[in-house]
């Protein structure tokens, strides 16, 4: 039995052109489903495993009014691109902002700047490992990377100082 007969049919039963049309329609339907659900091909292998990451963000030189408000945001949910994400501020500590000042003899002295504070946030976020990085909303989590801490009522920028995996949820 030939694979393709003289009439252009596969195995003498299926028209090759019809088969190609069905295949094209199937690809379009699958692509539309991925587009509508917000999924991508790289998400297929990730499953539904999420990891809870705890990370610290240091936000330097924050004015005292904002610093006082920031501590009231403990327990609040973070947002990104106008949407709430599965991440929460678990702690916020106000620290003095210390900066170097050069003395007349050229030596450096470290003094407290009383016009501003540093904020140290601890954040717990449920994330998936996608594209070789943990991400919170559209922000990648990496030590040393700039990070925006944003709630409904607060937005400050700092640097990620540390991060650790707290739990794995399957």
């Amino acid at each position: 039995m030939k694979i393709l007969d003289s009439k252009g049919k596969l195995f003498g039963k299926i028209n090759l052109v019809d088969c190609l049309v069905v295949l094209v329609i199937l690809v379009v339907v699958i692509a539309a489903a991925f587009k509508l659900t917000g999924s991508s091909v790289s998400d297929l292998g990730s499953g539904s495993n999420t990891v809870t990451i705890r990370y610290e963000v240091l936000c330097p030189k924050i004015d005292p009014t904002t610093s006082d408000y920031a501590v009231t945001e403990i327990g609040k949910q973070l947002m990104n691109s106008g949407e709430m994400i599965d991440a929460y501020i678990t702690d916020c500590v106000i620290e003095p902002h210390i900066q170097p000042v050069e003395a007349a003899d050229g030596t450096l002295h470290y003094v407290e700047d009383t016009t501003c504070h540093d904020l140290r946030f601890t954040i717990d976020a449920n994330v998936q490992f996608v594209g070789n990085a943990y991400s919170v909303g559209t922000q990648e989590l990496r030590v040393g990377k700039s990070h925006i801490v944003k709630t409904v009522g607060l937005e400050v920028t700092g640097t990620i100082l540390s991060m650790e995996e707290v739990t794995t949820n399957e």
Side-chain angles (χ1 to χ4, degrees):
M1 180 177 208
K2 290 182 179 179
I3 294 176
L4 192 61
D5 69 7
S6 62
K7 294 180 182 178
K9 292 189 175 189
L10 274 154
F11 304 111
K13 298 183 190 266
I14 304 170
N15 187 325
L16 185 62
V17 173
D18 292 342
C19 186
L20 289 174
V21 168
V22 168
L23 186 63
V24 168
I25 290 172
L26 188 61
V27 167
V28 169
V29 168
I30 291 171
F34 278 120
K35 184 75 172 173
L36 291 174
T37 62
S39 299
S40 68
V41 175
S42 65
D43 293 339
L44 290 177
S46 66
S48 63
N49 296 341
T50 58
V51 176
T52 302
I53 297 292
R54 178 170 294 139
Y55 61 102
E56 262 191 354
V57 180
L58 180 65
C59 303
K61 298 182 85 170
I62 306 296
D63 68 87
T65 305
T66 303
S67 298
D68 291 340
Y69 182 78
V71 295
T72 68
E73 295 292 283
I74 295 172
K76 299 288 176 75
Q77 189 172 8
L78 296 183
M79 62 187 307
N80 184 262
S81 300
E83 297 194 16
M84 304 310 283
I85 55 177
D86 196 6
Y88 297 85
I89 297 172
T90 58
D91 196 18
C92 177
V93 177
I94 299 174
E95 299 175 345
H97 179 71
I98 307 296
Q99 65 182 42
V101 175
E102 188 174 347
D105 63 0
T107 60
L108 285 180
H109 297 277
Y110 293 90
V111 297
E112 181 178 341
D113 183 346
T114 57
T115 64
C116 60
H117 299 116
D118 293 346
L119 294 176
R120 184 179 300 263
F121 290 95
T122 303
I123 298 168
D124 284 358
N126 293 316
V127 299
Q128 287 189 346
F129 190 79
V130 178
N132 296 325
Y134 294 111
S135 295
V136 174
T138 59
Q139 299 185 89
E140 286 186 353
L141 297 179
R142 297 185 196 277
V143 173
K145 189 162 178 62
S146 179
H147 188 74
I148 299 169
V149 177
K150 182 178 181 181
T151 65
V152 171
L154 175 74
E155 182 172 345
V156 291
T157 302
T159 302
I160 299 174
L161 296 180
S162 66
M163 56 185 273
E164 65 178 324
E165 186 175 304
V166 180
T167 60
T168 304
N169 307 314
E170 294 189 27

